Amino acid sequence: MDFNQIVSRMIRAARLEVDLYEEVEADTEATSQAIAAVVIAALASGIGSALGSLFLRRGVAGFFGGLILSPIMAVIGYFIWAFLTYFIGVNLFGGTADYGEMLRTIGFAYTPNVLRVASFIPCVGWLVALAGSVWALVAGVVAVRQALDFDTGKAILTCIIGWIIALILSMVVSATLGLGAAGLSALLR
């Protein structure tokens, strides 16, 4: 796997270059690169979350929770959102793609989430993280539009519906993990 090519593609994805999304859609060898792009963005998010835990004095558990759980949830969220956009786009809006094409395009669309590394900065970190998330959502619309070969309106609807469902699922998973962690913490006292 060529790290320079991954970074180059991530930069092009962040620039919302339509040609990049067409390129990775067709390149079946780019699936591992797309997953690497998600992992890079997830690790940046995890670092920001972990550093934020230090500033907010959440202790070692908060630090390692942010460093480990945040990236894991981001990668799981990626696979869920890619599946949801694929399923919704193909079945509701008549798009033409396979799951691998969605994995590749959505994976590179995650790139702007690297800005979440700055989330620990007091007062403005949350704004930078929010900007990265919104940017990634816009990149997701471009990715979905190119992968499913339909218009921007259908891509926006596909992303919004998929994003809402993914958000609900992640809240359920987070609540389940949170309750499990709270119970474990209580048992260890």
Side-chain angles (χ1 to χ4, degrees):
M1 190 174 344
D2 182 0
F3 186 73
N4 290 330
Q5 185 180 35
I6 294 170
V7 171
S8 172
R9 283 181 163 178
M10 289 177 72
I11 291 168
R12 291 174 59 208
R15 289 181 183 158
L16 306 178
E17 291 183 17
V18 173
D19 291 343
L20 174 274
Y21 292 101
E22 288 292 334
E23 179 183 309
V24 297
E25 174 191 10
D27 183 0
T28 58
E29 301 295 315
T31 304
S32 59
Q33 289 184 350
I35 293 169
V38 171
V39 169
I40 290 167
L43 289 173
S45 177
I47 290 167
S49 180
L51 291 173
S53 291
L54 288 178
F55 283 116
L56 296 173
R57 302 187 198 294
R58 291 188 181 142
V60 175
F63 176 81
F64 285 110
L67 192 61
I68 296 167
L69 274 178
S70 181
I72 290 171
M73 291 304 295
V75 171
I76 290 170
Y78 153 68
F79 283 105
I80 291 170
W81 196 40
F83 176 77
L84 288 171
T85 54
Y86 162 73
F87 185 82
I88 293 164
V90 168
N91 293 303
L92 257 53
F93 299 113
T96 57
D98 62 38
Y99 183 57
E101 292 170 343
M102 290 305 299
L103 280 175
R104 291 187 293 277
T105 58
I106 291 288
F108 281 101
Y110 261 68
T111 297
N113 284 313
V114 298
L115 292 177
R116 290 183 180 186
V117 73
S119 66
F120 71 94
I121 300 170
C123 300
V124 297
W126 71 274
L127 283 172
V128 175
L130 178 63
S133 295
V134 170
W135 189 357
L137 186 57
V138 171
V141 170
V142 174
V144 167
R145 182 186 68 204
Q146 297 314 119
L148 291 167
D149 300 315
F150 53 44
D151 64 50
T152 303
K154 287 180 180 180
I156 290 170
L157 287 172
T158 300
C159 286
I160 290 172
I161 294 167
W163 186 79
I164 290 170
I165 294 169
L167 180 65
I168 292 167
L169 288 173
S170 80
M171 289 190 318
V172 168
V173 169
S174 294
T176 303
L177 290 176
L179 290 174
L184 182 60
S185 176
L187 287 173
L188 295 175
R189 287 186 179 188

